[in-house]
């Protein structure tokens, strides 16, 4: 993130698009693509046109049922990226104070800057496993804050914030008339426990998510926002600035994906289970990296105890064909984000190379 509203940009996104690729790509955070051939799709199931004015009805119905909310509380978006952009644009006015976690997902910061928000931060500390610290949040919550922004699971650490804590965040914000936006794109990876969107915790919550990260469906861009109906109306007005009719084949694929979510989820669950045990074994073997074992999500965010991470990441890429996300993109230059959501062979190969690189870097 840098510059004024007019030239706000996400350095991380640019890096991710242009420089993160490698033979062993551990820079990703979403489950590897689900093959279209494994979805029961016939060409007749797709159509160029036929959407509704504000979302394709069969898709809107399914999104509402999935979230357990009335349809009037749902805005359909092209991925969680657009969901974040639309949701923030709907509620943040130039000069508004917005309190956002640190570290965080860089585009959230860049959008806030683009909107001319006055950005305040609350810290999630590495020493506490990046857990949400309510006292720290309360300390930074001035009466002028209009919105609190955080991710659950947290990106980059994949740390979970439980409902009880999140409810308290909502209550603290409500006391000063502020809203809470929770980016829940990674919450969908909680395959083995029951969870509900923070939307259900209070009327001041807005949540964003998509089918991208947990299911390997980035390419169909099926995202959504959950919010109170008056805000949803405002969000649809902002969607109007971006398109007249959406990508209808993607809406159709969204319906098919939601109707087959069990099988898609099973593939992702077993991939992440296998890969999580690989990454945890790797972390246990490498005291050069300081990190709690992974319990949730698709990434870990260890601290490199000694040495410069940017130099290490360059060595890893140039000599070991492996990429990770340097912590500088999360304002934590001593950390690196390792994604373990690729094909198991890629993750295994990448971790072996990470080991070799650490050895050579010592
Ligand atoms: C926290 C967070 N939100 C949103 C996104 C973007 O999600 P989508 O692919 O659905 O646009 C990402 C992608 O990395 C992310 O990490």
């Amino acid at each position: 993130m840098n510059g004024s509203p007019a030239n706000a940009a996400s350095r991380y996104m640019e890096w991710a698009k242009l420089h993160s690729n490698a033979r062993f790509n551990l820079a990703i955070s979403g489950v590897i693509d689900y093959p279209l051939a494994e979805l029961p799709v016939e060409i007749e199931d797709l159509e160029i046109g036929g959407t509704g004015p504000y979302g394709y009805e069969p898709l809107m119905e399914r999104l509402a049922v999935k979230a357990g909310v009335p349809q009037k509380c749902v805005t359909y978006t092209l991925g969680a990226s657009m969901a974040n952009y639309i949701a923030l644009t709907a509620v943040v006015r130039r000069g508004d104070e917005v309190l956002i976690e640190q570290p965080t997902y860089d585009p959230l910061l860049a959008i806030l800057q683009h909107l001319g928000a006055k950005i305040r931060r609350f810290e999630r500390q590495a020493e506490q496993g990046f857990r949400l610290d309510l006292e720290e949040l309360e300390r930074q919550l001035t009466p002028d804050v209009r919105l609190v922004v955080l991710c659950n699971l947290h990106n980059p650490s994949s740390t979970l914030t439980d409902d009880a804590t999140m409810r308290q965040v909502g209550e603290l914000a409500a006391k000063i008339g502020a809203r809470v936006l929770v980016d829940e794109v990674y919450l969908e990876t909680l395959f083995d426990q029951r969870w509900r969107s923070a939307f259900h915790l209070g009327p001041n919550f807005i949540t964003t998510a998509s089918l991208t990260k947990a299911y390997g469906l980035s390419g169909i861009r099926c995202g959504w926002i959950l919010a109170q109906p008056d805000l949803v109306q405002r969000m649809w007005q902002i969607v109007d600035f971006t398109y007249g009719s959406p990508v209808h084949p993607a809406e159709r694929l969204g319906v098919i994906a939601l109707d087959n979510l069990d099988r898609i989820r099973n593939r992702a669950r077993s991939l992440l289970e296998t890969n999580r045990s690989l990454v945890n074994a790797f972390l246990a073997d490498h005291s050069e990296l300081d990190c709690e074992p992974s319990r949730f999500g698709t990434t870990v965010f260890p601290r490199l105890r000694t040495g410069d991470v940017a130099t290490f990441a360059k060595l890893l890429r140039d000599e070991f064909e492996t990429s990770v996300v340097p912590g500088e993109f999360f304002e934590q230059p001593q950390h690196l984000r390792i994604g373990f959501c690729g094909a198991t062979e890629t993750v295994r190969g990448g971790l072996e190379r990470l080991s070799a690189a650490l050895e050579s870097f010592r």
Side-chain angles (χ1 to χ4, degrees), residues 12 29 78-82 84 105 151 155 183 185-186 210 212-213 218 221:
Y12 165 67
S29 64
L78 302 179
S81 302
M82 180 172 167
N84 286 333
Y105 176 56
C151 297
N155 183 6
D183 176 327
V185 75
Y186 296 102
S210 75
T212 295
K213 300 290 173 185
S218 180
R221 301 277 85 214

Side-chain angles (χ1 to χ4, degrees), residues 48-304:
I48 301 286
T51 188
Y54 289 102
Y56 178 49
E57 191 56 27
L59 180 56
M60 295 303 294
E61 276 168 16
R62 284 164 175 78
L63 291 176
V65 168
K66 178 175 184 304
V69 305
Q71 211 171 302
K72 61 182 183 216
C73 296
V74 184
T75 312
Y76 166 70
T77 59
L78 302 179
S81 302
M82 180 172 167
N84 286 333
Y85 186 76
I86 300 285
L88 289 171
T89 306
V91 297
V92 177
R93 310 268 167 281
R94 181 175 290 264
D96 276 357
E97 276 196 22
V98 178
L99 179 62
I100 175 167
E101 65 191 0
Q102 179 167 36
T104 196
Y105 176 56
D106 185 60
L108 290 168
L109 267 181
I111 297 169
L112 289 172
Q113 193 188 23
H114 175 63
L115 294 172
K118 250 191 240 160
I119 298 173
R120 291 182 59 82
R121 313 300 298 276
F122 70 93
E123 206 184 332
R124 287 177 176 250
Q125 286 194 15
E127 302 73 40
Q128 294 174 11
F130 296 99
R131 272 177 278 286
L132 200 143
D133 174 351
L134 283 168
E135 283 174 19
E136 156 69 0
L137 188 141
E138 195 172 4
R139 264 195 300 278
Q140 306 306 334
L141 197 63
T142 62
D144 288 336
V145 167
R146 307 313 320 136
L147 178 71
V148 177
V149 179
L150 65 151
C151 297
N152 195 28
L153 309 177
H154 179 229
N155 183 6
S157 67
S158 294
T159 298
L160 171 70
T161 301
D162 61 28
D163 270 8
T165 308
M166 197 62 91
R167 183 173 282 114
Q168 290 183 66
V169 174
E171 286 166 3
L172 288 171
K175 272 195 211 158
I176 53 161
R179 295 190 169 99
V180 183
L181 184 143
V182 190
D183 176 327
E184 298 183 334
V185 75
Y186 296 102
L187 207 50
E188 300 271 331
T189 63
L190 293 188
F191 301 120
D192 294 319
Q193 66 193 76
R194 290 172 70 79
W195 60 269
R196 289 207 309 167
S197 168
F199 170 83
H200 296 278
L201 298 177
N204 59 336
F205 278 95
I206 301 167
T207 60
T208 56
S210 75
L211 298 183
T212 295
K213 300 290 173 185
Y215 307 107
L217 296 171
S218 180
I220 66 173
R221 301 277 85 214
C222 182
W224 60 90
I225 307 165
L226 306 181
Q228 294 305 308
D230 56 331
L231 267 184
V232 167
Q233 295 264 322
R234 178 64 193 136
M235 288 168 187
W236 280 121
Q237 288 175 335
I238 296 166
V239 171
D240 284 345
F241 301 154
T242 70
Y243 60 70
S245 54
V247 190
H248 189 51
E251 292 179 315
R252 295 275 190 123
L253 284 168
V255 168
I256 293 164
L258 287 165
D259 287 346
N260 290 278
L261 212 53
D262 279 350
R263 74 161 90 165
I264 301 173
R265 186 185 286 120
N266 286 342
R267 170 220 189 226
R269 175 198 279 126
S270 89
L271 179 83
L272 287 180
E273 248 169 42
T274 308
N275 294 0
R276 194 183 319 280
S277 55
L278 292 178
V279 86
N280 281 341
F282 166 84
L283 290 172
D285 269 2
H286 290 85
S287 57
E288 309 92 311
L289 296 176
D290 179 18
C291 191
E292 291 180 5
S294 165
R295 293 176 56 207
F296 309 108
T298 55
T299 60
V300 287
F301 194 53
R303 180 175 63 90
L304 184 64

Side-chain angles (χ1 to χ4, degrees), residues 39-47 56 248-249 252-253 256:
L39 275 181
V41 186
E42 307 290 335
I43 194 70
E44 305 79 60
D45 298 330
L46 300 180
E47 207 37 88
Y56 178 49
H248 189 51
R252 295 275 190 123
L253 284 168
I256 293 164

